Amino acid sequence: MATQAGQSLGIVVDQAAESLKEAARSNIAAIQNITRRMRLLALNAQIEAAHAGQTGFAVVAEEVKGVAREIETLAASLGGDVGARVDDLRDAVSGLASAARGDRFVDLALNAVEIIDRNLYERTCDVRWWATDSAVVDCAAAPRAEAVAHAERRLGVILSAYTVYLDLWLCDLNGRVVANGRPQRFAARGADASRTRWFAKAKSLASGDDFAVAEIDRCAELGGAQVATYVASVREGGAPHGKPLGFLAIHFDWEPQARSIVEGVRLTAEEAAQSRVLLLDAGHRVIAGSRGSALGEAFPLATGGRDFGLYADASGRLIAFHKTPGYETYRGMGWFGVIEYAPLAARASAPALARPERAWGSASSATA
């Protein structure tokens, strides 16, 4: 709303300024016309005085001529002064409108990263809760066929209620998947997840109250889908400090959730046509973006050590950014919300952004 108001004010002032300049030009032209007529009168008076030999009349004619010169000088000065002041006013209003837009972009960047943080905070709660489910604990303790079937039925019930997940995996302490919630859709049982980033972090979990999470990645066993994987330890009796039995990994269906966030940012139609909304990881790689952004694209974000800010890059693009503030007990992962506003003139001269030779996190075995 602030940007729209700023734009509307800018349009009104611009129209008023142009109207004022046109009125000034018209009035100055009228003054200049009068000046020209006075010059002619003065000239005629001097000619007539010369013919008649009337010195007094010649003095009056010369005075009229002098007044005409003063009016002409004043008109020229007035024209330049009015034009300059109107241009200054227009520039000032344009600056205010641009500042309002920039501040709004920073707020929208914060809003985008806050929404995803609030969403992922819920994931940290889910994984720690479900890791204490008796069917999951019993299967981790003794993964016999009957226990596996029961655990998979239980995980399937959870998945039917929580549509933001692609699958839930129960792994043993060595990273082998012993049960998954959608065995008919994903043949994950028996897969080796020991070399994944999330499993490497999971091995250091101190208790059942803790969780681990890796950056956004692709998982071959889930059809190459982009996932955010959260993991908690499964412990004996479901107790926080019980003997470790295995790990529960929940695979958040990242791509559609993140897309809805970046595409849902409330930009005007003009802004949306000239902007990209991005979510960047801590290494400033794109993990979600509007208008064709690629997963893993390197974005040259220049924060200057700040958590949020606004700047114009060398090509004239306006970059607004805000680092995740975290939510509740979830500190976030150092991600950034970014809005890149590139007017047509700036976009035409902008260098291409660096892209990886292959999509970062491309599908490989159990790379969730």
Side-chain angles (χ1 to χ4, degrees):
M1 290 298 291
T3 297
Q4 292 173 342
Q7 290 173 331
S8 298
L9 176 60
I11 291 171
V12 169
V13 170
D14 194 57
Q15 291 173 342
E18 191 58 40
S19 177
L20 177 58
K21 288 183 74 173
E22 182 58 37
R25 282 194 293 265
S26 177
N27 290 331
I28 290 167
I31 292 172
Q32 289 171 335
N33 185 47
I34 294 171
T35 302
R36 283 192 294 272
R37 289 166 62 190
M38 290 183 69
R39 278 180 175 174
L40 288 173
L41 287 172
L43 180 60
N44 288 333
Q46 285 180 320
I47 292 171
E48 291 299 326
H51 288 163
Q54 297 178 12
T55 305
F57 194 68
V59 172
V60 172
E62 186 62 34
E63 186 66 24
V64 170
K65 188 176 180 180
V67 170
R69 283 196 299 268
E70 290 182 17
I71 292 174
E72 183 178 28
T73 302
L74 178 61
S77 175
L78 177 62
D81 188 54
V82 169
R85 288 180 183 275
V86 169
D87 288 340
D88 288 345
L89 175 61
R90 180 183 288 147
D91 291 344
V93 172
S94 177
L96 288 172
S98 296
R101 168 179 276 164
D103 289 343
R104 178 168 169 270
F105 280 173
V106 172
D107 288 342
L108 289 175
L110 169 61
N111 183 247
V113 77
E114 274 190 323
I115 290 174
I116 197 63
D117 268 355
R118 292 179 184 184
N119 202 319
L120 296 180
Y121 165 71
E122 297 293 335
R123 313 295 63 94
T124 71
C125 300
D126 291 344
V127 69
R128 288 176 287 178
W129 171 28
W130 296 336
T132 65
D133 186 280
S134 60
V136 171
V137 173
D138 292 345
C139 183
R144 293 185 289 269
E146 182 178 347
V148 168
H150 181 51
E152 289 188 336
R153 286 194 298 272
R154 178 59 184 159
L155 294 177
V157 169
I158 294 173
L159 286 170
S160 67
Y162 290 81
T163 57
V164 296
Y165 295 108
L166 280 172
D167 206 3
L168 310 181
W169 292 0
L170 174 60
C171 304
D172 64 20
L173 293 174
N174 296 316
R176 184 177 66 87
V177 180
V178 298
N180 68 304
R182 288 189 171 130
Q184 294 80 18
R185 181 178 173 185
F186 301 117
R189 192 190 309 159
D192 180 10
S194 63
R195 291 184 294 277
T196 62
R197 289 182 289 182
W198 58 261
F199 188 80
K201 292 184 176 183
K203 290 188 295 184
S204 63
L205 293 175
S207 75
D209 292 329
D210 302 317
F211 70 91
V213 58
E215 297 288 356
I216 307 304
D217 224 330
R218 295 184 183 274
C219 180
E221 287 77 11
L222 300 179
Q226 300 173 16
V227 292
T229 301
Y230 286 73
V231 58
S233 57
V234 179
R235 294 176 176 263
E236 191 173 56
H241 297 285
K243 176 185 175 181
L245 303 174
F247 302 97
L248 179 67
I250 63 176
H251 300 294
F252 181 68
D253 192 6
W254 172 259
E255 196 273 336
Q257 315 302 327
R259 184 179 66 244
S260 67
I261 290 173
V262 296
E263 293 181 353
V265 171
R266 300 185 66 179
L267 299 172
T268 66
E270 178 270 334
E271 290 169 345
Q274 301 182 75
S275 301
R276 288 198 305 168
V277 181
L278 306 168
L279 292 176
L280 308 181
D281 66 14
H284 300 174
R285 293 173 297 183
V286 174
I287 52 178
S290 61
R291 299 180 63 239
S293 303
L295 180 69
E297 174 187 327
F299 188 87
L301 181 64
T303 66
R306 298 171 295 168
D307 287 345
F308 61 91
L310 177 75
Y311 66 92
D313 67 11
S315 64
R317 293 176 298 189
L318 189 67
I319 311 296
F321 64 91
H322 207 299
K323 188 176 183 179
T324 170
Y327 183 72
E328 297 286 349
T329 57
Y330 183 63
R331 294 192 301 273
M333 299 176 66
W335 292 355
F336 285 87
V338 173
I339 295 180
E340 174 197 65
Y341 178 63
L344 295 177
R347 191 155 60 239
S349 62
L353 293 179
R355 291 176 181 270
E357 294 182 3
R358 64 179 180 84
W360 170 69
S362 58
S364 60
S365 179
T367 55

